[in-house]
Amino acid sequence: MPPTGPQSVDRALAILDAVADAPGPLGAKALARRLECSLSTAYHLLAPLTERGYLLRTPRGYELGPRIPGLHRSLLRHLEPAPHMAGRLARLRRSTGAEAYHTAYRGGLITVVDTTAPVTDAAHPFAPGRETRAHATAHGKALLAELPRPLRRRYLAEHGMARLTGATITSAELLEAELSRVRGQGFAVSVGEADPAYTCLAVALPRGRDENRDGDAVHALSVSLPTEEYRRRPGEVRAALARAAADCGGDRPGNPPGPFSDAAGNSARRGCAGPAGVPGWSA
């Protein structure tokens, strides 16, 4: 991404990105080479980052510091759409055997906020952080389907629709048709569109009656698992995701009892008949 602010700020943030993405500690000389700056400039930027706890200086080089986990906890606190989301993700993981995710759209960005996938699992295709493949992921499609058309168009214009696999949708017209299906059936699915080996399913969480649908964050729950495993038990996975989403929805202020049921417990969202063997949720 090209620099967009004062050079010193851009370079400091580039240092954080480089250290975060590196497989191990990075020395000042290596960072200076990456930033194409002098060693003295690198040290000038590293000093306040280390002082404030964003980086830690070790004998082998610089690593992420103790301030970073606190930033993530703050993000979770600010974005949490329902109480104890981490525990809900863990329960969804146990009930499906699939990794579970909380994803959010806010301020023109889509972020994988939290996941049950181990942080050491570098091979897993959906890691916490900024999501730039919304057109190809179930959680991205579930969130985009909830946005007003102008916001959706703006997001796609800024992030593009890169072809990631042979199954990726790269046509705006085809994606609009796909998002219309998502709204109709109440969930999104991506079979090998972002990663050829994985299928992911997602449900957008309902917003409260008093929330401004044009500007507030939109949240989604999703799961991902190897496609071959998903094909053996699609109904079970979809039903568990529906229950988890309904559980979250019922706890949000100003919401009806849940995204898939009305006060009498009947299916009521967008004509989707819910997990008990009905349209959109059958195996």
Short mmCIF file of all heavy atoms in Angstrom, two decimals, residues 19 25 49-50 58 82 92 118 134 151 157 194 198 204 255 275:
data_model
loop_
_atom_site.label_atom_id
_atom_site.label_comp_id
_atom_site.label_asym_id
_atom_site.label_seq_id
_atom_site.Cartn_x
_atom_site.Cartn_y
_atom_site.Cartn_z
N VAL A 19 7.56 -6.44 11.35
CA VAL A 19 7.83 -7.30 12.51
C VAL A 19 6.69 -8.30 12.70
O VAL A 19 6.92 -9.48 13.00
CB VAL A 19 8.03 -6.44 13.77
CG1 VAL A 19 8.14 -7.32 15.02
CG2 VAL A 19 9.29 -5.58 13.64
N PRO A 25 12.33 -12.71 15.01
CA PRO A 25 12.77 -11.34 15.29
C PRO A 25 13.51 -10.73 14.10
O PRO A 25 14.17 -11.43 13.34
CB PRO A 25 13.70 -11.51 16.49
CG PRO A 25 13.31 -12.81 17.11
CD PRO A 25 12.86 -13.68 15.98
N LEU A 49 8.58 3.22 19.50
CA LEU A 49 7.76 2.01 19.40
C LEU A 49 8.11 1.03 20.53
O LEU A 49 7.23 0.38 21.09
CB LEU A 49 7.97 1.34 18.04
CG LEU A 49 7.39 2.09 16.83
CD1 LEU A 49 7.84 1.41 15.54
CD2 LEU A 49 5.87 2.14 16.90
N THR A 50 9.39 0.96 20.85
CA THR A 50 9.83 0.08 21.94
C THR A 50 9.44 0.67 23.29
O THR A 50 8.97 -0.04 24.19
CB THR A 50 11.35 -0.12 21.86
OG1 THR A 50 11.69 -0.61 20.57
CG2 THR A 50 11.82 -1.11 22.91
N THR A 58 15.04 -7.71 21.69
CA THR A 58 15.64 -8.92 22.25
C THR A 58 17.04 -9.09 21.66
O THR A 58 17.40 -8.40 20.69
CB THR A 58 14.79 -10.16 21.89
OG1 THR A 58 14.98 -10.47 20.50
CG2 THR A 58 13.31 -9.91 22.16
N ALA A 82 -22.25 -9.38 20.82
CA ALA A 82 -23.03 -10.12 21.82
C ALA A 82 -22.09 -10.47 22.97
O ALA A 82 -20.87 -10.55 22.77
CB ALA A 82 -23.63 -11.39 21.22
N LEU A 92 -19.29 -23.03 19.18
CA LEU A 92 -19.56 -23.33 17.78
C LEU A 92 -18.49 -24.27 17.22
O LEU A 92 -18.79 -25.18 16.45
CB LEU A 92 -19.61 -22.02 16.98
CG LEU A 92 -19.93 -22.12 15.48
CD1 LEU A 92 -21.25 -22.84 15.25
CD2 LEU A 92 -19.95 -20.73 14.86
N PRO A 118 -5.88 -21.81 15.82
CA PRO A 118 -4.67 -21.48 16.57
C PRO A 118 -3.84 -20.43 15.85
O PRO A 118 -3.72 -20.45 14.62
CB PRO A 118 -3.91 -22.82 16.65
CG PRO A 118 -4.94 -23.86 16.37
CD PRO A 118 -5.94 -23.23 15.45
N ALA A 134 -13.35 -10.37 0.41
CA ALA A 134 -14.76 -10.49 0.80
C ALA A 134 -15.61 -11.11 -0.29
O ALA A 134 -16.57 -11.83 -0.01
CB ALA A 134 -15.32 -9.12 1.19
N LEU A 151 -22.68 1.50 -0.55
CA LEU A 151 -21.55 1.10 0.28
C LEU A 151 -20.90 -0.17 -0.27
O LEU A 151 -19.68 -0.31 -0.25
CB LEU A 151 -21.99 0.87 1.72
CG LEU A 151 -22.36 2.10 2.53
CD1 LEU A 151 -22.68 1.72 3.98
CD2 LEU A 151 -21.23 3.14 2.52
N ALA A 157 -15.12 -1.43 -5.27
CA ALA A 157 -14.26 -0.58 -6.09
C ALA A 157 -12.90 -0.37 -5.43
O ALA A 157 -11.86 -0.31 -6.10
CB ALA A 157 -14.94 0.77 -6.34
N ALA A 194 -12.08 -18.91 -2.03
CA ALA A 194 -10.91 -18.20 -1.50
C ALA A 194 -9.71 -19.13 -1.37
O ALA A 194 -8.57 -18.71 -1.56
CB ALA A 194 -11.24 -17.60 -0.14
N TYR A 198 -11.00 -25.42 0.98
CA TYR A 198 -11.89 -25.11 2.10
C TYR A 198 -13.27 -24.65 1.65
O TYR A 198 -13.41 -23.96 0.63
CB TYR A 198 -11.28 -24.01 2.99
CG TYR A 198 -10.24 -24.51 3.94
CD1 TYR A 198 -8.93 -24.70 3.53
CD2 TYR A 198 -10.56 -24.82 5.26
CE1 TYR A 198 -7.95 -25.16 4.40
CE2 TYR A 198 -9.60 -25.29 6.15
CZ TYR A 198 -8.30 -25.46 5.72
OH TYR A 198 -7.35 -25.93 6.58
N ALA A 204 -24.97 -13.43 8.74
CA ALA A 204 -24.89 -12.08 9.30
C ALA A 204 -25.77 -12.00 10.54
O ALA A 204 -26.89 -12.51 10.55
CB ALA A 204 -25.34 -11.05 8.27
N ASN A 255 -33.34 -6.24 19.89
CA ASN A 255 -33.54 -7.24 18.85
C ASN A 255 -34.75 -8.09 19.14
O ASN A 255 -35.13 -8.30 20.30
CB ASN A 255 -32.33 -8.17 18.77
CG ASN A 255 -31.30 -7.65 17.80
OD1 ASN A 255 -31.55 -6.73 17.05
ND2 ASN A 255 -30.12 -8.25 17.83
N PRO A 275 -33.08 -24.41 10.30
CA PRO A 275 -32.27 -25.61 10.14
C PRO A 275 -33.03 -26.91 10.12
O PRO A 275 -32.47 -27.94 9.79
CB PRO A 275 -31.35 -25.56 11.36
CG PRO A 275 -32.12 -24.79 12.37
CD PRO A 275 -32.92 -23.80 11.61
#
